[in-house]
Each structure stands twice: as C-alpha cells, then as structure tokens.
C-alpha cells in the first residue's frame, strides 16, 4: 500500500487534472483540436504512432497477472475482486486520458517518459511537476518490480507443473515459498538492472509479452468449443489486432529489439533444456526438497535480531543521508528534490524488504500457530469455554453449544449459571472435577478441567468440558456386573479357579474349597497342580496349560485329582484362556466339578448295559436257535413219519416183486409150451394174440418187472436216507458212520445238484478215508452237513449265474463240491467241504458264524444256519468249525470233532 497509493493517486490526479485543464483552462491548447500554430505537437495521429502506443499500453490493459496476485495473496478474495472491478473501470481514464494529456501538452516528441510527462504536467502542476512526476514514476517502477517478483515465480511454477519447464521450478516449500522460481526471477532482474537501458528492456519484454497474449487469444479461438473459452470471437478479433500491433508497432519502435523479443522465448527454452539435463545439484528438485525438509534454524531471541536490524537500518539511513547531502551540494538546487524523492523511495523499498525479511517468518509462525489453534478450537470434540477472572464466558467452541444445548452464543453469561456447584470466583475452582449438569429432564455428568494463564494485566481461564454421562453409566453397569459376577462365582456350585501366566492361582471360590478341601489363602499364589494333581499326571496337566496359552482355545478333560484328606476323586475340567481385547492371553480360567459318584454310576450302568446287551444277544440267539431246532425237530418228525409210512407199502411191493417175477416166468413158459403143442390155435385165439401183441408182451414183461424192482430199491434207499438224516431213533449220542450222514445229506440235496435246463449239474468229488465209527449226535451233525452243503450250492448257483452273464470270463468254470474226510495227527476226525464258488471277503469270513448275519437277499436266508452249526460243533461236540476262502482253493469249511466224547470231556 505504501507504493500503490502514491502511484495510483498521482496517476489519477495527472489524468483527471490534465483532462480538466485541457477542457476548462483559458491557456489550454484545446481539448480536441490543436492550435493553429505550426509548431503545435501531435497535430495528427498516424496508425504507426497508435500501434507504438498500443504496443506499450497493452501490458497495462491486460493486467490480469497483477489482479491474480492480489486475489491470491488476499485473505478476502471476494472483496479484492470487487476492488479490482473498480480498478478496471479506471483503466480507460488512466491510459486513454493520460495518453491524451501527454499527446496534447508535451512540447517534444522525445521518447523519454519523464521529460514528456514533466512537460505535460507543468501547465497545471507548475514548479511541483518534476517532484510529483519523479514520485509517480519511481513509485510506479517499484510497484511494477514488486508485481514482477510476485507474478513471475507463479508463472514459472505453473509452467513446471504443466510440464513445459524443468521440474525444479515446481518445487515449493511448506510455507508456499517458490525458491527456484524466485531465484530465476532474481537472476533475470539482476541482468536487466546490469543492462540499465530501461526503454530497451521494456521493448524486448513487451514483445515477448504481446506474443504470449497472441498465443492465448488464438488458443481460446481454437478451443472455442470448450466451456472455459469465453468470448471466443472477441478473442479472434484481439488476436488479429495484436498481430498487427506486434508487426507494425514493434518495427516502428526498433526492429533490433523486436527481433530480440521474439527470440527471447526460444533462448529461455534452450536455457530450460540445459537446466533439465544438467547434473548440478542446484538445478535438481531433490536438492531444493532436502533444503525445505531440513529443520528450520531456530533463533532463540528473534527480538534481538530485529533490534539489531533496526539499528543497522537507522545507521544506514543516516550514512546515506550524509552521503546524499554531499552529492547534492555538487548539483543544482532544482535537481535536489528529484534525487531526494528517488532516494527516499529507494530507502523505503529497502526498508520494507528488510522488515519483511526479519518479521515475515515470525508473523508466518504466529499466523500458523493461530490458525492451528483456531482449527483445534473448532474441531475438537470436547467443549472449550474461555471465561474471565469473574467467571463470565468470553468465548466458546461449537462443541460447547452442543453440550449446553444452546444455539445462540453463550458469551456474557456466567459459567456457574449452568454448572451450579461452581463458585463465583474461578480462582477457587478445582483443576479437575466432575460437575452435574441438567439442561432439561436429563441429568448429565461433565468432566471439568480448568487451566489459567495471565494475559498482560488480566487472567483468563480455559475450561474444558467433556460429557462423561455415558461413561459414568457404563462404569456403574460394569460395577454392578462385577458384583453380580463375583456373587455368581462365590455362590456357584461349580468350582472356579483362575491362574496367571505362570500358572499360579489368583482366584479360588468356595466351591473349589468344598471339592478339594483347601482354602483360598492356602493355594492363592501357588501352583494348584502341586496340591490337587497326582504326580503321575502333573506333566500332562502342565502340557495342557501350555497348550491353552499358546493355542488360545478351550480344552475339556476329565482327570484324577487329590483332596486335602488324601482321597482320589474324578473331576471334569473346562479350561478357557482369558484373552484381552488386544488378543493377548492374560490368564486361564477353569471350571471344575467332582464327578466321582457319577463316573462310578456311569461305569456301573455301562457294565450293566454290556451285560444286558450280551444277555439280549444270547437270548435272541438262543431263541432263534430254539425256533430253528424246533423247526428241524418238526421237520425230522415229519420226515421220519413220511419215511415210515412209505416204508411199509414199499416193503410190501418190494417183497412181492420176486414172487410176481417167478409167477410171470412160469406163465410165459406155459404159454410157450402151448404154442409148441398147439401150433394151430383157433381163429379167436389168433385174433386175441394179434390184438394184445403177445410177442411184445412176452418180451417186455420181464423188463417191466425188473424196472419196478429198481424203482422199489430207489425208494427204499431214499427212505433209509431220510431215516438216517432225521435220526429220530438216535436222539442221544451214538456211534455212527460219518460217511453215511454225508451221503444221506447229498441224497436229499440231489435234486438241487443235478443238471437242469438253465444251468449245468454240480459235480461232487468224494475223498473218503477209512474212518472209525464216531460218537456224536448224528441228527445234529447231519444238520451241520446240510447247512454247509446248502450254502455251498447257493454260492455255486451265483457263480453259474455270473457265467451266463460273462461267458468269456467263466468259460472254464465247472461247479464242483469236494468232500474230504481224514483223521488228524491229534486224533480228531476232520471233514473238509470245499466249493469253487465266489471268493468270500476277509471281513465277511470273520462274521459268517455270527447270529443273524447273512449276505443273501431278503427271503433267502435267516443268518442262523452257520451260527447253529458252529454251536453244534463247538458246544455239543467239543470240536472246531472254521472257514477259509481264496481265489486258488475256493471256499473251504473245516469240521474237526473228537472220535469219542469221553476223550473230549477228559481233555
């Protein structure tokens, strides 16, 4: 503002006062038309002159960069934009009006701006014109320099972000300092200062600036379809005008400067390419980032530094004043004021720079701290109330209004109006307390923290309030829960034992005392295993405890334990690791119950259950065997009765067949004798002889009688077999021929073994040894033969069925039953019954003699035949019955019984 007010104020005064003097003064050469004096300047304004003027004035007309810097640096951008709108309205007055004043009142066509403006201002400012114009131009130049320093780094930074310049120009500090861009701007400024020709510097930079504006307007026309491209047609018009002004005005000023201005961007691009490829650390982004990330240098006493700088500034100003006076003594008096103004502004600019250098870090730190505090003050969840030394509220944050339920400000009210237990004097308040607060029907509890600090000559208190109502309620609930839990533990009939990570007891309830006999004070702080676990089980218990800690999973077990009085009891343990919210095991909790009586009762019940199951199994087997024996007994009675009934008529027939044969032979001899003695019988005899075919009857009658005898013999054999199988007349143990029993059984099963239309016959191979008579229960032993042979025939029938289903696989199969009898080395009678049917699996072989076990389909077997056979051999005869099956030998049942039961009983 130190430079803006004089620069803009004097410029507006020059324009407005000059235009007013031209329009109203009697000495005016005329506002519009020049005087008719031949020497009057600016009689005509050519296109070339206008182009030269526009070439220079375009920078001020397109002053968007200056406006953007003002908006960017302002704390109130909206208000700044409004002021910039007003400044934009002054542009026509300043540049059109000022140019017109200079054109009408300047007495020379010199390119020197100071001379032209002093000449134009002298008619209305008089003798003060040189000083005021010097003040205007100097402040304007310094303001332009400050604007360039503000805008140029921003432009370089944005171009680096867009990828047009080296990345080093895109580096920015945490406080927004564009170090590399500022350094580049400083170097360019020093280069211009060293050159010293301001007119040429303005021409060269103006050429580049106008070229950039041409590119901007042309881009807006090319991208006119984009929403951000405003006034695209006007942009095309501006672009054409600017191209014309660039060519005409630039060449009119100086073609050398115009050419340098056009080549300057190319030179800058070449310089940028060199920087991008350079390995010098100063041109690397990382070098700047490391400097920015380094901790700032802390000045312990910034006030001391500022005082030193102020002393240096005062002393420097005094020295410069004495030197200036000495210089001014050598010049004319009329030049003293102009040089003094320039010197004054230069020293002021230097003073502003030094002040910014010394104060801005501190100001920035203060601003950052204030913003951080304000942000924390607003966003913190706790209510913050600032009161004065009288307890009156000065400030509150948003959280305080939500706590007190007030939408309006609390400022000016007393805090103890809400927190009734607080006194009127804040110095009497406790630093930490809990205060009740009841905004309505709900009573709340607030945690109150008070701190005070002295600000100059008054004391301020900061009160932090936190609503802990829910926490207090939760604490009450937790205490109640803990009390209930403690009562539950103390009154529980289940023993509760808690251990720490070293397995020492930390809790022991009365139920545990009742179970083990130890009081809590006897075991707390000690390892419970040494008291209640037998020595043989302590290692296993310790392993269980370690597993609980490492695996974090519950374990149930039942152990033998010791009581204080030495008894051994059985206890069930439910062990659970105690895990905190962080997932760490902090202890072990165990629930224990004595189950000695229950275990004993369960063991007794299990034994009774086993005995009952065995009794039931025996009962079912006995019942089934009794039923089967009854069936076999009934069947034996039936067979014996049928055999007896058949035996009498068969014996009658068989006994008369011999007599019938003799009688028929006698009759045939007599008939032959009649034929010899009476060769010519009567016609009636001859006719009857022919009708009955006497020759065939005489030949066939002996054969018929022989066949009847064979049939009678077969019936007699069947009857004998039935009688031998049933052995109804031999129910007690008797000495019999084993082979007769086997043959009788085969005779009964003959029908199942003979060949039929759907399968071949079963061959029976007998390998009978010379066996002595065996003492046994003949009928029961025949039943064993019947069961084993019947099962063998069933297995062969299955094999025959498979043969018809897969004839290639069973092409060489011949169903065969092989029966071998022999005497073993131990003096036992062994009967081997082998069939070449399907293989019996090993698991089935182990169960073939179990009651009710069968592999046959429903309706074909009861599962009792082999079981009854096993009992007959083992229980009745003291022998053995076994089963073996293999692919090579087939399925073999081996029966071994002693020759005499007296021998078995003695053994």
């Amino acid at each position: 503002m130190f430079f803006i007010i004089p620069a803009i104020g004097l410029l507006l005064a020059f324009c407005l006062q000059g235009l007013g003097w031209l329009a109203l003064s009697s000495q005016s050469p005329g506002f519009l038309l020049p005087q008719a004096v031949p020497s009057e300047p600016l009689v005509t304004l050519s296109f070339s002159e206008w182009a030269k003027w526009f070439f220079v004035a375009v920078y001020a007309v397109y002053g968007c960069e200056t406006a953007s810097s003002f908006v960017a640096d302002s704390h109130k951008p909206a208000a700044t934009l409004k002021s910039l709108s007003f400044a934009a309205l002054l542009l026509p007055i300043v540049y059109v009006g000022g140019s017109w004043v200079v054109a009408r009142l300047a007495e020379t066509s010199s390119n020197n701006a100071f001379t032209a403006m002093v000449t134009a201002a002298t008619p209305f400012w008089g003798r003060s014109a040189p000083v005021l114009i010097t003040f205007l131009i100097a402040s304007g130049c310094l303001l332009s320099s400050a604007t360039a320093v503000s805008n140029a780094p921003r432009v370089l930074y944005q171009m680096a972000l867009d990828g047009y310049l080296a990345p080093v120009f895109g580096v920015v500090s945490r406080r927004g300092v564009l170090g590399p861009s500022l350094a580049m701007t400083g170097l360019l400024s020093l280069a211009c200062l060293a050159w010293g020709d301001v007119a040429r510097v303005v021409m060269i930079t103006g050429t580049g600036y106008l070229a950039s504006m041409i590119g901007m307007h042309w881009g807006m026309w090319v991208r006119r379809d984009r929403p951000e491209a405003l006034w695209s047609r006007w942009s095309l018009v501006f672009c054409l005008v600017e191209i014309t002004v660039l060519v005409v005005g630039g060449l009119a000023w100086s073609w050398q400067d115009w050419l340098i201005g056009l080549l300057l961007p190319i030179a800058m691009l070449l310089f940028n390419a060199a920087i991008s490829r350079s390995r010098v650390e100063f041109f690397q982004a990382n070098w700047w980032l490391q400097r920015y990330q380094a901790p700032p240098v802390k000045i312990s006493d910034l006030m001391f530094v500022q005082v030193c700088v102020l002393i240096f500034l005062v002393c420097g100003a005094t020295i410069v004043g004495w030197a200036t006076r000495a210089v001014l003594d050598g010049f004319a008096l009329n030049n003293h004021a102009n040089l003094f103004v320039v010197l004054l502004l230069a020293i002021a600019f230097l003073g502003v720079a030094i002040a910014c250098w010394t104060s801005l870090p501190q100001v920035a730190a203060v601003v950052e701290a204030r913003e951080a505090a304000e942000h924390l003050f607003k966003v913190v969840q706790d209510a913050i109330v600032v009161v004065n030394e009288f307890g009156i509220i000065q400030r509150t944050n948003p959280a305080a209004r939500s706590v007190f339920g007030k939408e309006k400000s609390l400022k000016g009210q007393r805090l103890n109006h809400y927190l009734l237990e607080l006194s009127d004097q804040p110095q009497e308040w406790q630093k930490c307390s809990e205060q009740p607060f009841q905004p309505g029907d709900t009573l709340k509890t607030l945690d109150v923290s008070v701190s005070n600090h002295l600000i100059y000559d008054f004391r301020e208190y900061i009160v932090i309030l936190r609503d802990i109502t829910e926490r207090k309620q939760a604490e009450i609930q937790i205490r109640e829960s803990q009390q209930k839990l403690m009562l539950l533990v103390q009154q529980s009939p289940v023993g509760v034992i808690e251990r720490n990570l070293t397995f020492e007891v930390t809790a022991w309830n009365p139920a545990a005392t009742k179970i083990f006999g130890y009081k809590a004070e006897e075991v707390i702080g000690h390892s419970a295993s040494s008291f209640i676990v037998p020595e043989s089980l302590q290692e296993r218990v310790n392993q269980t405890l370690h597993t609980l800690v490492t695996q974090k999973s519950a374990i149930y077990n039942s152990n033998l334990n010791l009581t204080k009085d030495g008894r051994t009891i059985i206890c069930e343990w439910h062990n659970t690791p105690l895990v905190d919210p962080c997932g760490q095991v902090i202890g072990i909790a165990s629930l224990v119950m004595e189950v000695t009586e229950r275990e004993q009762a369960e063991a007794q019940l299990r034994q009774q259950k086993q005995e009952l199951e065995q009794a039931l199994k025996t009962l079912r087997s006995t019942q089934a065997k009794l039923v089967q024996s009854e069936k076999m007994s009934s069947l034996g009675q039936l067979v014996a009765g049928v055999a007896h009934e058949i035996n009498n008529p068969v014996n009658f027939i068989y006994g008369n067949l011999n007599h019938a044969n003799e009688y028929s032979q006698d009759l045939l001899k007599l008939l032959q004798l009649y034929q010899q003695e009476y060769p010519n019988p009567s016609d009636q005899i001859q006719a009857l002889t022919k009708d009955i075919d006497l020759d065939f009857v005489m030949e066939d009658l002996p054969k018929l009688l022989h066949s009847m005898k064979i049939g009678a013999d077969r019936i007699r054999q069947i009857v004998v077999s039935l009688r031998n199988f049933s052995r109804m007349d031999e129910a007690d143990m008797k000495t019999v021929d084993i082979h007769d029993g086997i043959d009788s059984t085969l005779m009964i099963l003959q029908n199942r073994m003979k060949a039929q239309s759907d399968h071949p016959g079963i061959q029976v191979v007998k390998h009978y040894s010379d066996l002595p008579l065996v003492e046994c229960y003949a009928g029961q032993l025949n039943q064993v033969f019947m069961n084993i042979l019947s099962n063998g025939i069933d297995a062969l029938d299955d094999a025959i069925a498979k043969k018809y289903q897969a004839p290639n696989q069973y092409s060489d199969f011949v169903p065969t039953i092989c029966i071998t009898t022999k005497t073993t080395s131990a003096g036992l009678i062994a009967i081997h019954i082998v069939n070449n049917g399907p293989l019996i699996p090993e698991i089935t072989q182990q169960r073939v003699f179990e009651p009710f076990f069968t592999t046959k389909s429903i309706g074909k077997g009861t599962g009792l035949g082999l079981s009854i056979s096993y009992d007959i051999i083992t229980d009745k005869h003291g022998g053995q019955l076994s089963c073996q099956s293999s692919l090579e030998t087939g399925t073999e049942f081996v029966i071994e019984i002693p020759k005499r039961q007296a021998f078995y009983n003695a053994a």
Side-chain angles (χ1 to χ4, degrees), residues 62-191:
Y62 297 150
C64 298
E65 290 87 354
T66 304
S68 65
S69 64
F70 277 120
V71 175
D73 293 336
S74 175
H75 291 286
K76 298 180 180 180
T80 305
L81 284 174
K82 292 180 180 179
S83 63
L84 291 177
S85 300
F86 173 74
L89 296 176
L90 300 178
L91 287 177
I93 299 175
V94 172
Y95 288 96
V96 176
S99 300
W100 187 253
V101 170
V102 172
R104 297 295 292 134
L105 298 179
E107 297 178 355
T108 178
S109 59
S110 174
N111 290 336
N112 191 301
F114 175 76
T115 304
M117 292 188 69
V118 169
T119 303
T122 299
F124 52 87
W125 277 352
R127 297 178 62 184
S128 301
V131 176
L132 294 177
I133 293 301
T134 301
F135 204 168
L136 188 153
I137 292 177
S139 61
C141 290
L142 293 175
L143 180 61
S144 298
S145 299
T147 303
V149 172
S150 175
N151 292 340
R154 288 186 172 92
V155 175
L156 296 176
Y157 172 74
Q158 188 61 45
M159 293 181 69
L161 291 183
D162 295 338
Y164 298 111
L165 292 181
V168 67
F169 295 110
V171 178
V172 59
S173 71
R174 287 174 292 184
R175 291 184 176 179
V177 178
L178 306 172
S181 301
L182 282 171
M184 178 59 68
T185 303
L187 291 176
L188 294 176
S189 299
L190 291 176

Side-chain angles (χ1 to χ4, degrees), residues 319-386:
I319 294 172
V320 171
W322 279 101
T324 303
R325 179 63 183 175
V327 173
L328 291 178
D329 288 342
F331 290 91
L333 184 63
N334 57 353
N335 290 329
H336 290 185
N338 297 341
L339 293 176
F340 181 75
V341 169
V342 174
L343 181 61
L344 179 63
L345 289 175
I347 293 176
F349 189 80
L350 181 62
V352 171
I354 294 175
C356 292
W357 175 72
T358 57
S359 300
L360 278 181
Q362 186 179 15
V363 172
V366 171
V367 170
E368 289 178 358
R370 184 185 65 186
E371 291 178 351
E374 289 290 338
H375 177 71
L376 182 63
F377 189 74
K378 292 180 180 179
V379 303
V380 68
Q381 298 295 320
D382 294 335
I384 300 178
V385 179
V386 181

